[in-house]
Amino acid sequence: MKRILVVEHDSLHRELIGEWLEAAGVQAVWPEDPADTAGDIDAILVDVTCQQQAHAVLVPWRRAYPRAAIVLASGRFSRGDMANDAMAMRLGATRILAKPFARGDLWAALGLPADPLHPSRR
């Protein structure tokens, strides 16, 4: 089972992301629980306030989990940024998510398969 570390400060977003990941068959783990974060992490979803903050926020996560994909989420990104892999790489991430995002956007950014029961809700 894939394990995704979710670094999100808003409790409502955390709950929703946790539900979406569970629906995809993925285990969401939280940095507040050190027992959960021990071991392999396949990807990290990190909420950032702005692009300028991204590098400083990502450095400790990249050191702790060097093989994990990193997805940055921010309300400061536009939907067009989500397809901009060059921007993601410049910021030290694998992918970018513009908030608000749909479940399908989250799954795509994390490389999870689309929902076969609800293909339009991806």
Side-chain angles (χ1 to χ4, degrees), residues 6-90:
V6 179
V7 183
E8 169 63 62
H9 305 296
D10 182 281
S11 62
L12 292 175
H13 282 139
R14 244 190 338 261
E15 281 184 44
L16 183 59
I17 290 167
E19 288 176 19
W20 286 351
L21 292 176
E22 183 180 326
V26 173
Q27 179 185 5
V29 296
W30 318 103
E32 296 83 13
D33 189 352
D36 275 350
T37 58
D40 288 337
I41 296 293
D42 297 294
I44 307 166
L45 174 64
V46 182
D47 174 51
V48 293
T49 306
C50 61
Q51 292 180 26
Q52 294 79 7
Q53 177 195 42
H55 184 70
V57 169
L58 293 183
V59 168
W61 296 115
R62 176 59 65 206
R63 281 191 193 126
Y65 305 101
R67 292 183 304 236
I70 295 181
V71 177
L72 285 178
S74 177
R76 298 284 175 111
F77 295 131
S78 70
R79 292 207 46 87
D81 293 335
M82 293 188 342
N84 191 339
D85 291 338
M87 175 187 265
M89 287 178 55
R90 184 172 43 80

